[in-house]
Amino acid sequence: MRTYRYFLLLFWVGQPYPTFSTPLSKRTSGFPAKRRALELSGNSRHELNRSKRSWMWNQFFLLEEYTGSGNQYVGKLHSDQDKGDGSLKYILSGDGAGDLFIINENTGDIQATRRLDREEKPTYILRAQAVNKKTGIPVEPESEFVIKIHDINDNEPIFTKEVYTATVPEMSDVGTVVVQVTATDADDPTYGNSAKVVYSILQGQPYFSVESETGIIKTALFNMDRENKEQYQVVIQAKDMAGQMGGLSGTTTVNITLTDVNDNPPRFPQSTYQFTTPESSPPGTSIGRIKATDADVGENAAIQYSITEGEGLDMFDVITDQDTQEGIITVKKLLDFEKKKVYTLKVEASNPHVEPRFLYLGPFKDSATVRIMVEDVDEPPVFSKLAYTLQIREDAQINTAIGSVTAQDPDAARNPVRYSVDRHTDLDRIFNIHSGNGSVFTSKLLDRETLLWHNITVIATEINNPKQSSRVPLYIKVLDVNDNAPEFAEFYETFVCEKAKADQLIQTLRAVDKDDPQSGHQFSFYLAPEAASGSNFTIHDNKDNTAGILTRKNGYNRHEMSTYLLPVVISDNDHPVQSSTGTVTVRVCACDHHGNMQSCHAEALVHPTGLSTGALVAILLCIVILLVTVALFAALRRQRKKEPLIISKEDIRDNVVSYNDEGGGEEDTQAFDIGTLRNPEAIEDSKLRRDIVPEALFLPRRTPAARDNTDVRDFINQRLKENDTDPTAPPYDSLATYAYEGTGSVADSLSSLESVTTDGDQDYDYLSDWGPRFKKLADLYGGADSDKDS
């Protein structure tokens, strides 16, 4: 057996709760009934020696939420070195030491100063040590121990959400999962049942149920119908202590909505509908609306309408208004009251989206009967054809009948019809129509070559109601008659060389004809009978509507005969035969050995006199350029004469325009004073010059006022009046002075002419007061050393 020295730590818990310790070491286990002495290893008394280990402490429990009046007693710390003489003291450190946990340093008693909450801190790690009071030297090594707060049921379950929202399809099977709710308990789940939560339903039965352990809410009632009730409010309770009496609880609300499924077929509120429409309704016209009701919502309430059977299956159509889910009956073809007055249709309404699991409830469609009454309308006359085409020969005489058009009133009254021609389509009034029977005839002669087709409009109007009228196009084709003779395609003028050989081709002739025979043109060419005998040329018909002019002899003399005129007859082979005679001019010319014309003695047929068109245009162009130049020069001169002084809008300034203004002398300090110019007699006090520093202050002499000159004043006033009335004057104040000399300098005039008129000698002593610039003059003329003294 090994023997150890022990350091005892005794824990006491105040009544009525006992305190237990659980050993961490394998050597101690179980829970003692009253006290537990905890051993601490010391030095071994056996021959085997080893170093001292740290203290090993059990895990101790302390009840939370202590309700006593004083401090809660935790336990007692005691060392085997303590002889009871008070030489030792106990020190406690670690979590909450000195604040939450305090120790009596003499006795080693540990107490908790306030109530503990396990949810704030479940364990506290402390360190205990015994030291000598006098020396402060530890007598035992420092050791750790743990205080674990023993949980009590002081927290109720709390749901993760205050309000849950969930949906479940209507008509769901019993046991269909809706949503899961979760509640948490802050108490210790490892100790007792304080945190063991069970769920129960307080409100929402018998529609829903909840699993007690998982909190899963399920449907509990068969065939819950959204159309009967859509919203449900379920209250779920969570209770700890496994639901036992005395446990704490919390509640939450679950709002459950039943979502729609297609479990209701559409239904017509009535079995028969009746509408009326005029027979004049064009295709696409809406006649009326029908609507089937469906208790479902969304796409489950979508309805598709169709006409399944009836007399008007091909006359009417039905479309679905996607916004209102109504069926719109529309006209598909033109109606005719005289043919059919009443139509009966069978219209079906069905759901395009059907759930197969509800097909047992019956077909998801319904049908209704629709009767459509056609109203009679006074209709305009109707032509027997949409368009008419007639033909007439161009040689037809006036009032020749071409054909007829027919129209009648489609109404049962069969009102008589009157015919007329729309003169906007026959401005020349070439055709007329019989107002009673619709016969069309000519009123003027026709010409196919002028206009082949005539497109006119015939109007049919009811006699009893002129407002009812209709129109039809009438196309009249003018048939060709051989009434035009063929002609040369162009004017032919050719030449023949003097050295031409016999049977030489000199020209090919072509002809045109305004007529258009069905078998095509067949022209014949030959010389006129009067020119056929003795002619120097022959005509060869090529039988392809062309002919050639051939020489009949060898050589021609232009001096004997310079020009030949060949009359050529052109005829067609139509009935009646039409022919014309055209003349071909042949000139005799000198040619080179290649047959190219060199010269002819043929004179010009026309010798125009006077200037040519180009010359006249050039002359007129020169005249126009000259006039434009003169006008520009005159405009520039006027512009230069009236040009304002201010060119830019921003050039706004006062301007002083002075003429012959001499100004004063060197010391004229008021030379640029505009006030002086305005009023010559206004003489301000003399001012010191600012361009030099005067050596001494001096008082300048005042000059006498200028003598008023009447002529000058009148001249200035006249110029001011002219400027005031001048429309081209600048738009700013301007001062113009004329022939004004100024007031002069403070030194008066230095001219010797004035000194001649004086009776006495002049005094030049004042020159010394004028500053350094006049110092030289003052030395020459001032003082006692003057010329007079000498």
PDB file of all heavy atoms in Angstrom, residues 80-102:
ATOM      1  N   ASP A  80      -3.483  20.170   4.798  1.00  0.00           N
ATOM      2  CA  ASP A  80      -2.975  19.383   5.913  1.00  0.00           C
ATOM      3  C   ASP A  80      -1.796  20.054   6.604  1.00  0.00           C
ATOM      4  O   ASP A  80      -1.330  19.604   7.634  1.00  0.00           O
ATOM      5  CB  ASP A  80      -2.574  17.980   5.447  1.00  0.00           C
ATOM      6  CG  ASP A  80      -1.534  18.019   4.345  1.00  0.00           C
ATOM      7  OD1 ASP A  80      -1.174  19.145   3.916  1.00  0.00           O
ATOM      8  OD2 ASP A  80      -1.089  16.956   3.864  1.00  0.00           O
ATOM      9  N   GLN A  81      -1.330  21.164   6.001  1.00  0.00           N
ATOM     10  CA  GLN A  81      -0.269  21.934   6.642  1.00  0.00           C
ATOM     11  C   GLN A  81      -0.827  22.928   7.661  1.00  0.00           C
ATOM     12  O   GLN A  81      -0.080  23.588   8.359  1.00  0.00           O
ATOM     13  CB  GLN A  81       0.541  22.694   5.571  1.00  0.00           C
ATOM     14  CG  GLN A  81       1.213  21.816   4.554  1.00  0.00           C
ATOM     15  CD  GLN A  81       2.311  20.975   5.180  1.00  0.00           C
ATOM     16  OE1 GLN A  81       2.976  21.400   6.149  1.00  0.00           O
ATOM     17  NE2 GLN A  81       2.483  19.767   4.645  1.00  0.00           N
ATOM     18  N   ASP A  82      -2.181  23.069   7.620  1.00  0.00           N
ATOM     19  CA  ASP A  82      -2.826  24.016   8.527  1.00  0.00           C
ATOM     20  C   ASP A  82      -2.943  23.346   9.905  1.00  0.00           C
ATOM     21  O   ASP A  82      -3.659  22.336  10.077  1.00  0.00           O
ATOM     22  CB  ASP A  82      -4.187  24.389   7.959  1.00  0.00           C
ATOM     23  CG  ASP A  82      -4.813  25.531   8.752  1.00  0.00           C
ATOM     24  OD1 ASP A  82      -4.220  25.991   9.745  1.00  0.00           O
ATOM     25  OD2 ASP A  82      -5.924  25.972   8.324  1.00  0.00           O
ATOM     26  N   LYS A  83      -2.205  23.880  10.922  1.00  0.00           N
ATOM     27  CA  LYS A  83      -2.215  23.346  12.287  1.00  0.00           C
ATOM     28  C   LYS A  83      -3.245  24.024  13.167  1.00  0.00           C
ATOM     29  O   LYS A  83      -3.350  23.752  14.355  1.00  0.00           O
ATOM     30  CB  LYS A  83      -0.832  23.508  12.918  1.00  0.00           C
ATOM     31  CG  LYS A  83       0.308  22.894  12.085  1.00  0.00           C
ATOM     32  CD  LYS A  83       0.100  21.405  11.865  1.00  0.00           C
ATOM     33  CE  LYS A  83       1.278  20.826  11.063  1.00  0.00           C
ATOM     34  NZ  LYS A  83       1.059  19.383  10.800  1.00  0.00           N
ATOM     35  N   GLY A  84      -3.970  24.955  12.543  1.00  0.00           N
ATOM     36  CA  GLY A  84      -4.987  25.649  13.321  1.00  0.00           C
ATOM     37  C   GLY A  84      -4.437  26.815  14.100  1.00  0.00           C
ATOM     38  O   GLY A  84      -5.146  27.388  14.938  1.00  0.00           O
ATOM     39  N   ASP A  85      -3.194  27.178  13.897  1.00  0.00           N
ATOM     40  CA  ASP A  85      -2.604  28.291  14.621  1.00  0.00           C
ATOM     41  C   ASP A  85      -2.716  29.625  13.897  1.00  0.00           C
ATOM     42  O   ASP A  85      -2.150  30.623  14.320  1.00  0.00           O
ATOM     43  CB  ASP A  85      -1.128  27.989  14.920  1.00  0.00           C
ATOM     44  CG  ASP A  85      -0.354  27.680  13.640  1.00  0.00           C
ATOM     45  OD1 ASP A  85      -0.990  27.693  12.538  1.00  0.00           O
ATOM     46  OD2 ASP A  85       0.854  27.455  13.702  1.00  0.00           O
ATOM     47  N   GLY A  86      -3.397  29.638  12.750  1.00  0.00           N
ATOM     48  CA  GLY A  86      -3.589  30.891  12.000  1.00  0.00           C
ATOM     49  C   GLY A  86      -2.383  31.363  11.249  1.00  0.00           C
ATOM     50  O   GLY A  86      -2.292  32.542  10.892  1.00  0.00           O
ATOM     51  N   SER A  87      -1.439  30.465  11.030  1.00  0.00           N
ATOM     52  CA  SER A  87      -0.229  30.883  10.305  1.00  0.00           C
ATOM     53  C   SER A  87      -0.388  30.827   8.792  1.00  0.00           C
ATOM     54  O   SER A  87       0.455  31.333   8.062  1.00  0.00           O
ATOM     55  CB  SER A  87       0.944  29.987  10.725  1.00  0.00           C
ATOM     56  OG  SER A  87       0.670  28.619  10.387  1.00  0.00           O
ATOM     57  N   LEU A  88      -1.454  30.210   8.343  1.00  0.00           N
ATOM     58  CA  LEU A  88      -1.691  30.094   6.893  1.00  0.00           C
ATOM     59  C   LEU A  88      -2.886  30.936   6.473  1.00  0.00           C
ATOM     60  O   LEU A  88      -3.788  31.206   7.291  1.00  0.00           O
ATOM     61  CB  LEU A  88      -1.918  28.621   6.510  1.00  0.00           C
ATOM     62  CG  LEU A  88      -0.789  27.620   6.811  1.00  0.00           C
ATOM     63  CD1 LEU A  88      -1.209  26.223   6.370  1.00  0.00           C
ATOM     64  CD2 LEU A  88       0.489  28.047   6.103  1.00  0.00           C
ATOM     65  N   LYS A  89      -2.853  31.293   5.266  1.00  0.00           N
ATOM     66  CA  LYS A  89      -4.038  31.930   4.684  1.00  0.00           C
ATOM     67  C   LYS A  89      -4.287  31.316   3.298  1.00  0.00           C
ATOM     68  O   LYS A  89      -3.375  30.863   2.621  1.00  0.00           O
ATOM     69  CB  LYS A  89      -3.868  33.435   4.560  1.00  0.00           C
ATOM     70  CG  LYS A  89      -2.852  33.896   3.537  1.00  0.00           C
ATOM     71  CD  LYS A  89      -2.872  35.406   3.422  1.00  0.00           C
ATOM     72  CE  LYS A  89      -1.868  35.903   2.388  1.00  0.00           C
ATOM     73  NZ  LYS A  89      -1.899  37.361   2.252  1.00  0.00           N
ATOM     74  N   TYR A  90      -5.595  31.336   2.908  1.00  0.00           N
ATOM     75  CA  TYR A  90      -6.018  30.697   1.663  1.00  0.00           C
ATOM     76  C   TYR A  90      -6.329  31.776   0.603  1.00  0.00           C
ATOM     77  O   TYR A  90      -6.984  32.787   0.915  1.00  0.00           O
ATOM     78  CB  TYR A  90      -7.238  29.826   1.901  1.00  0.00           C
ATOM     79  CG  TYR A  90      -6.958  28.688   2.873  1.00  0.00           C
ATOM     80  CD1 TYR A  90      -7.228  28.825   4.231  1.00  0.00           C
ATOM     81  CD2 TYR A  90      -6.434  27.485   2.408  1.00  0.00           C
ATOM     82  CE1 TYR A  90      -6.968  27.793   5.117  1.00  0.00           C
ATOM     83  CE2 TYR A  90      -6.180  26.454   3.301  1.00  0.00           C
ATOM     84  CZ  TYR A  90      -6.445  26.607   4.646  1.00  0.00           C
ATOM     85  OH  TYR A  90      -6.187  25.592   5.508  1.00  0.00           O
ATOM     86  N   ILE A  91      -5.840  31.511  -0.567  1.00  0.00           N
ATOM     87  CA  ILE A  91      -6.012  32.469  -1.686  1.00  0.00           C
ATOM     88  C   ILE A  91      -6.794  31.763  -2.801  1.00  0.00           C
ATOM     89  O   ILE A  91      -6.491  30.610  -3.158  1.00  0.00           O
ATOM     90  CB  ILE A  91      -4.657  32.953  -2.218  1.00  0.00           C
ATOM     91  CG1 ILE A  91      -3.892  33.654  -1.110  1.00  0.00           C
ATOM     92  CG2 ILE A  91      -4.846  33.879  -3.421  1.00  0.00           C
ATOM     93  CD1 ILE A  91      -2.477  34.040  -1.512  1.00  0.00           C
ATOM     94  N   LEU A  92      -7.805  32.494  -3.345  1.00  0.00           N
ATOM     95  CA  LEU A  92      -8.644  31.973  -4.429  1.00  0.00           C
ATOM     96  C   LEU A  92      -8.477  32.874  -5.659  1.00  0.00           C
ATOM     97  O   LEU A  92      -8.544  34.102  -5.552  1.00  0.00           O
ATOM     98  CB  LEU A  92     -10.102  31.945  -3.999  1.00  0.00           C
ATOM     99  CG  LEU A  92     -11.074  31.267  -4.979  1.00  0.00           C
ATOM    100  CD1 LEU A  92     -10.750  29.773  -5.071  1.00  0.00           C
ATOM    101  CD2 LEU A  92     -12.528  31.463  -4.520  1.00  0.00           C
ATOM    102  N   SER A  93      -8.240  32.265  -6.820  1.00  0.00           N
ATOM    103  CA  SER A  93      -8.108  33.024  -8.080  1.00  0.00           C
ATOM    104  C   SER A  93      -8.823  32.264  -9.207  1.00  0.00           C
ATOM    105  O   SER A  93      -9.185  31.106  -9.050  1.00  0.00           O
ATOM    106  CB  SER A  93      -6.619  33.227  -8.431  1.00  0.00           C
ATOM    107  OG  SER A  93      -5.987  31.972  -8.637  1.00  0.00           O
ATOM    108  N   GLY A  94      -9.011  32.961 -10.319  1.00  0.00           N
ATOM    109  CA  GLY A  94      -9.697  32.344 -11.473  1.00  0.00           C
ATOM    110  C   GLY A  94     -10.993  33.065 -11.809  1.00  0.00           C
ATOM    111  O   GLY A  94     -11.177  34.250 -11.495  1.00  0.00           O
ATOM    112  N   ASP A  95     -11.925  32.357 -12.477  1.00  0.00           N
ATOM    113  CA  ASP A  95     -13.172  32.960 -12.954  1.00  0.00           C
ATOM    114  C   ASP A  95     -14.002  33.443 -11.780  1.00  0.00           C
ATOM    115  O   ASP A  95     -14.448  32.647 -10.935  1.00  0.00           O
ATOM    116  CB  ASP A  95     -13.995  31.944 -13.758  1.00  0.00           C
ATOM    117  CG  ASP A  95     -13.290  31.573 -15.050  1.00  0.00           C
ATOM    118  OD1 ASP A  95     -12.400  32.341 -15.458  1.00  0.00           O
ATOM    119  OD2 ASP A  95     -13.632  30.521 -15.653  1.00  0.00           O
ATOM    120  N   GLY A  96     -14.216  34.748 -11.707  1.00  0.00           N
ATOM    121  CA  GLY A  96     -15.102  35.334 -10.712  1.00  0.00           C
ATOM    122  C   GLY A  96     -14.522  35.413  -9.330  1.00  0.00           C
ATOM    123  O   GLY A  96     -15.242  35.745  -8.371  1.00  0.00           O
ATOM    124  N   ALA A  97     -13.240  35.082  -9.146  1.00  0.00           N
ATOM    125  CA  ALA A  97     -12.632  35.121  -7.815  1.00  0.00           C
ATOM    126  C   ALA A  97     -12.574  36.545  -7.319  1.00  0.00           C
ATOM    127  O   ALA A  97     -12.189  37.465  -8.044  1.00  0.00           O
ATOM    128  CB  ALA A  97     -11.241  34.508  -7.857  1.00  0.00           C
ATOM    129  N   GLY A  98     -12.956  36.751  -6.060  1.00  0.00           N
ATOM    130  CA  GLY A  98     -12.947  38.069  -5.454  1.00  0.00           C
ATOM    131  C   GLY A  98     -14.180  38.886  -5.769  1.00  0.00           C
ATOM    132  O   GLY A  98     -14.468  39.868  -5.091  1.00  0.00           O
ATOM    133  N   ASP A  99     -14.933  38.523  -6.778  1.00  0.00           N
ATOM    134  CA  ASP A  99     -16.144  39.256  -7.136  1.00  0.00           C
ATOM    135  C   ASP A  99     -17.350  38.351  -6.967  1.00  0.00           C
ATOM    136  O   ASP A  99     -18.220  38.588  -6.123  1.00  0.00           O
ATOM    137  CB  ASP A  99     -16.039  39.759  -8.562  1.00  0.00           C
ATOM    138  CG  ASP A  99     -17.291  40.480  -9.002  1.00  0.00           C
ATOM    139  OD1 ASP A  99     -18.050  40.907  -8.130  1.00  0.00           O
ATOM    140  OD2 ASP A  99     -17.517  40.601 -10.237  1.00  0.00           O
ATOM    141  N   LEU A 100     -17.373  37.288  -7.786  1.00  0.00           N
ATOM    142  CA  LEU A 100     -18.506  36.363  -7.706  1.00  0.00           C
ATOM    143  C   LEU A 100     -18.279  35.341  -6.588  1.00  0.00           C
ATOM    144  O   LEU A 100     -19.204  34.997  -5.853  1.00  0.00           O
ATOM    145  CB  LEU A 100     -18.671  35.658  -9.065  1.00  0.00           C
ATOM    146  CG  LEU A 100     -19.798  34.652  -9.180  1.00  0.00           C
ATOM    147  CD1 LEU A 100     -21.133  35.311  -8.890  1.00  0.00           C
ATOM    148  CD2 LEU A 100     -19.804  34.033 -10.585  1.00  0.00           C
ATOM    149  N   PHE A 101     -17.032  34.895  -6.483  1.00  0.00           N
ATOM    150  CA  PHE A 101     -16.693  33.931  -5.430  1.00  0.00           C
ATOM    151  C   PHE A 101     -15.675  34.586  -4.475  1.00  0.00           C
ATOM    152  O   PHE A 101     -14.677  35.148  -4.944  1.00  0.00           O
ATOM    153  CB  PHE A 101     -16.084  32.662  -6.029  1.00  0.00           C
ATOM    154  CG  PHE A 101     -17.011  31.944  -6.975  1.00  0.00           C
ATOM    155  CD1 PHE A 101     -16.849  32.056  -8.343  1.00  0.00           C
ATOM    156  CD2 PHE A 101     -18.050  31.169  -6.476  1.00  0.00           C
ATOM    157  CE1 PHE A 101     -17.689  31.398  -9.203  1.00  0.00           C
ATOM    158  CE2 PHE A 101     -18.894  30.506  -7.348  1.00  0.00           C
ATOM    159  CZ  PHE A 101     -18.731  30.624  -8.724  1.00  0.00           C
ATOM    160  N   ILE A 102     -15.955  34.513  -3.197  1.00  0.00           N
ATOM    161  CA  ILE A 102     -15.053  35.068  -2.184  1.00  0.00           C
ATOM    162  C   ILE A 102     -14.663  33.936  -1.213  1.00  0.00           C
ATOM    163  O   ILE A 102     -15.381  32.944  -1.077  1.00  0.00           O
ATOM    164  CB  ILE A 102     -15.704  36.230  -1.411  1.00  0.00           C
ATOM    165  CG1 ILE A 102     -16.991  35.760  -0.724  1.00  0.00           C
ATOM    166  CG2 ILE A 102     -15.993  37.398  -2.344  1.00  0.00           C
ATOM    167  CD1 ILE A 102     -17.656  36.844   0.131  1.00  0.00           C
TER     168      ILE A 102
END
